[in-house]
Amino acid sequence: MKNRHLRKAVVATAAITAGLLMTACQNGTDDSSSGKSGADASAVAEKVSDAKNSKGVSGSFKNGEVTYLAPGKYIVSVPGKDDQQFWVAEDTEVYGVGTICGEAGSKVDAPCTLDQLEAAIKKGAVNADVEMKNGIASLVTERRAAQQDSGSSGSGSDSGSSSGSGSGSDSRETVVEGIDEGKGVNGTWFGNVSYLAPGKYTVSDMKGTEQQFLVAEDTKILGYDDICSGEDGETQCTEDELETAAKKGFSAEVVISNGIATSIRDDH
């Protein structure tokens, strides 16, 4: 009789223990450092993997507005174009200037995490440029806000030309709006030129320190062999040729005025 009661007690205890273990396991599956459940993270990874193996949209989406759609999935809206959905992956590079991450007053873009990107865009749309390959963003770069008082703050060295430096500028606004007027870097650099983002590059000095710079429509791009080549030696190159060469890396002399390259000459 005692043995029968003992067996019943053991069985009841085992059932309670199993129930507690099942509850603990279920609670553990929803825990992740990024705030997403294991099922969500797995679904995103699967979708990104499918996108990499597909022939999704590729290209540059400049002057865009990025909004949140789902975990790991966003929409970029560009004036004059249809809205484009895209995914982000572990190797997606994200740079911020105050909204996604970083400081608004900084002249150098700050690297951001995917969690920071999601948190920021869930709060509201973010102005950014997106580089995309097969439907997956390789680069998301937050754009700096345009200077609201640039016309009235030109009382310094630019005062004589302030009437022509406002909305009448022929430079691409999506590229040069990130430079605080009159406060950009000036000088000449000799070093390796690398691609950073559309219209944006870096040049390294002898110590390996990198200096970011932008290019504009009037930037002189001169190639002898590395950027482009001509029959008579040095020749004028296009920005597409510059971008292609910079993605591989090449040595050059870069003259920078207010953060924008006035000339780029490859080292022949």
Side-chain angles (χ1 to χ4, degrees):
M1 194 68 179
K2 288 182 180 180
N3 290 337
R4 188 181 305 167
H5 288 307
L6 181 60
R7 283 198 299 271
K8 288 182 178 180
V10 170
V11 171
T13 302
I16 293 172
T17 302
L20 291 173
L21 288 174
M22 288 179 65
T23 302
C25 292
Q26 288 172 352
N27 289 338
T29 57
D30 290 333
D31 185 23
S32 70
S33 58
S34 63
K36 300 183 183 70
S37 69
D40 286 343
S42 177
V44 170
E46 183 178 353
K47 292 294 185 181
V48 170
S49 178
D50 291 342
K52 286 183 177 180
N53 296 325
S54 69
K55 296 182 179 180
V57 174
S58 300
S60 300
F61 295 80
K62 300 178 181 178
N63 197 28
E65 184 179 71
V66 178
T67 53
Y68 180 81
L69 185 60
K73 193 173 186 180
Y74 301 85
I75 296 175
V76 58
S77 303
V78 176
K81 295 183 179 181
D82 294 335
D83 292 352
Q84 178 59 53
Q85 298 182 15
F86 66 92
W87 292 92
V88 294
E90 290 182 356
D91 56 353
T92 299
E93 295 184 27
V94 182
Y95 293 92
V97 289
T99 302
I100 302 176
C101 72
E103 299 180 2
S106 174
K107 295 182 177 63
V108 179
D109 296 349
C112 310
T113 66
L114 296 180
D115 284 343
Q116 288 173 321
L117 173 68
E118 180 174 308
I121 296 182
K122 276 185 174 179
K123 295 178 182 178
V126 173
N127 294 324
D129 299 330
V130 179
E131 282 284 307
M132 202 178 303
K133 184 176 182 181
N134 290 338
I136 302 174
S138 58
L139 179 68
V140 179
T141 307
E142 179 187 346
R143 294 197 313 280
R144 286 179 171 81
Q147 299 299 307
Q148 299 297 326
D149 58 348
S150 60
S152 60
S153 63
S155 58
S157 60
D158 294 333
S159 60
S161 60
S162 60
S163 62
S165 60
S167 59
S169 173
D170 291 332
S171 298
R172 292 170 302 176
E173 293 181 1
T174 56
V175 175
V176 301
E177 67 183 1
I179 295 294
D180 293 330
E181 185 174 352
K183 298 180 181 179
V185 172
N186 298 281
T188 301
W189 278 259
F190 298 88
N192 189 63
V193 175
S194 301
Y195 175 83
L196 187 60
K200 192 173 187 179
Y201 301 84
T202 63
V203 57
S204 59
D205 59 18
M206 297 298 293
K207 296 181 180 179
T209 303
E210 293 186 337
Q211 174 59 53
Q212 294 185 15
F213 66 91
L214 304 177
V215 296
E217 289 182 350
D218 57 354
T219 299
K220 293 182 180 179
I221 306 171
L222 304 172
Y224 187 84
D225 187 37
D226 292 331
I227 305 176
C228 66
S229 59
E231 296 180 357
D232 300 324
E234 189 174 78
T235 185
Q236 182 76 31
C237 307
T238 66
E239 190 177 335
D240 286 340
E241 289 172 325
L242 170 66
E243 181 174 309
T244 300
K247 285 181 177 179
K248 299 176 182 178
F250 65 91
S251 296
E253 173 195 82
V254 182
V255 180
I256 302 174
S257 176
N258 189 29
I260 302 173
T262 58
S263 69
I264 303 171
R265 177 180 279 107
D266 71 21
D267 187 12
H268 55 276

